[in-house]
Amino acid sequence: MRNRHVLLAGAAALAMVTAGCGGGGAAAPSTGATAAGAGPVKIAFVTKFPVAFFTAMEDSAKAYATQHPGLVDISYFSCKSPTDVSCQTAQIQDAVARGFKALVITPMGPDVVPALDAAADKGVKVVLVDNDLQDFTKETAVVATDNVKGGQAAGAYLKSVLKPGNTIGLMEGVRSAPALAARIEGVQKALDGTGVKVVIGGAETKCDSAEGATVAQDLLTREPNLTAIYSACDDPAIAAAGVAEQKGKQVLVMGYDGLPDAAAAILGGHMQATIAQFPGKMAALGVEAAANAVQGKPVEAFIDTGTALVTKDNAASFRTFQ
């Protein structure tokens, strides 16, 4: 487990060593003060695991704290994998025990709901970022992409470039995740009645490159005349493009996430498009919502951070996360 750091608003970051499942160390006292005079709002910022998307979130949260000195005191937590529920559960419980006033979290799934319920019952303001949890109803706010709209945007693009008689393979992320399902459903609905044949991949990609390569291999074997591949996540899309090229197939490949690697693949002619999310915006608005809630200020229940269609025309602007 990598070391994490505690960011003190208005002061230099202090190095610390993570413990247990990768939680942040105890925050040192801060001399900053909020407008209410009660000191900075103590926030636990919990991401799933250390990949570029979540690192971009952390960087944005740190930038927000620097730009708002004295407002927030943030500690950062992460696990080794996106499915280590016991780790994230322990981090939530630790945040409550250590007296954090707010929790800004990218939840791993419904299995962490009991811990989040317990945190909310203790008065902790819980702000979900990146994805919502249908079974958790005590959140202060959800700050995320509207994946229904994002899926519709992906569908609209594919409808505009595909023709009757074409065949597209859809690669699901995690079928039980509503956000990922919405990305697939939007495309299915857009292509319904267009004469485009839609084929679903035989397995979930779990948004993993290796899994994506396997699903793409299966699709190309089952459908030798495959025209296009759409993935609910970018990493499997990038892998699918590589598989198609290895087989000498000219296949339109589209992903979803807006990863810098996907932008590079688009610029290199390996992919045609992706739907970009804005992790930096999610983090900054999530921290802001948490601070406002603790201070008794009004907070919107759902804060849509938007999406953007990325093609070769604008991919250069997405070579870094926004």
Side-chain angles (χ1 to χ4, degrees):
M1 181 62 60
R2 67 173 183 169
N3 286 351
R4 317 296 291 166
H5 294 81
V6 177
L7 178 69
L8 298 183
L14 301 180
M16 40 69 67
V17 179
T18 61
C21 293
S30 171
T31 57
T34 66
V41 176
K42 190 176 180 183
I43 297 173
F45 194 93
V46 183
T47 52
K48 294 178 184 177
F49 68 129
V51 292
F53 190 88
F54 297 124
T55 299
M57 282 190 172
E58 287 192 9
D59 290 344
S60 179
K62 292 172 183 177
Y64 181 90
T66 299
Q67 293 161 7
H68 299 80
L71 177 61
V72 291
D73 177 354
I74 310 176
S75 294
Y76 298 90
F77 299 77
S78 181
C79 298
K80 289 184 178 180
S81 81
T83 56
D84 192 349
V85 172
S86 61
C87 170
Q88 191 169 80
T89 296
Q91 291 175 344
I92 296 167
Q93 294 169 340
D94 183 49
V96 175
R98 288 169 53 187
F100 285 92
K101 300 301 182 185
L103 186 65
V104 178
I105 182 171
T106 60
M108 289 186 178
D111 288 339
V112 302
V113 169
L116 291 175
D117 277 334
D121 289 343
K122 291 286 187 178
V124 177
K125 303 298 183 183
V126 179
V127 176
L128 304 180
V129 292
D130 188 36
N131 54 288
D132 194 1
L133 291 173
Q134 290 183 325
D135 296 331
F136 180 58
T137 60
K138 300 176 182 178
E139 71 273 8
T140 295
V142 177
V143 184
T145 303
D146 185 329
N147 285 285
V148 172
K149 291 181 180 178
Q152 291 169 346
Y157 172 77
L158 289 167
K159 183 177 180 179
S160 74
V161 296
L162 296 178
K163 301 176 182 179
N166 288 163
T167 301
I168 184 170
L170 304 186
M171 305 207 310
E172 299 167 292
V174 178
R175 290 169 183 155
S176 61
L180 297 177
R183 301 176 186 182
I184 295 293
E185 291 165 4
V187 171
Q188 289 175 307
K189 290 179 180 178
L191 296 179
D192 186 37
T194 63
V196 175
K197 181 181 178 181
V198 177
V199 180
I200 303 294
E204 301 174 342
T205 68
K206 300 177 183 176
C207 294
D208 175 76
S209 293
E211 298 283 353
T214 299
V215 175
Q217 180 80 31
D218 173 65
L219 283 168
L220 288 163
T221 300
R222 285 195 286 137
E223 300 288 340
N225 295 320
L226 199 68
T227 309
I229 292 176
Y230 168 74
S231 171
C233 314
D234 267 343
D235 280 331
I238 295 168
V243 170
E245 289 175 1
Q246 289 171 7
K247 288 181 169 292
K249 302 279 189 179
Q250 290 188 340
V251 178
L252 182 155
V253 179
M254 181 177 187
Y256 192 117
D257 277 332
L259 300 184
D261 285 349
I266 291 169
L267 290 169
H270 308 292
M271 286 175 57
Q272 278 65 46
T274 185
I275 296 294
Q277 302 188 86
F278 301 99
K281 191 175 180 181
M282 291 179 198
L285 292 177
V287 169
E288 181 177 72
N292 285 340
V294 171
Q295 294 178 326
K297 298 177 183 178
V299 176
E300 292 183 27
F302 180 76
I303 301 170
D304 180 9
T305 51
T307 58
L309 173 65
V310 181
T311 64
K312 202 162 189 174
D313 291 339
N314 62 345
S317 299
F318 289 87
R319 286 181 292 189
T320 57
F321 279 115
Q322 299 183 25

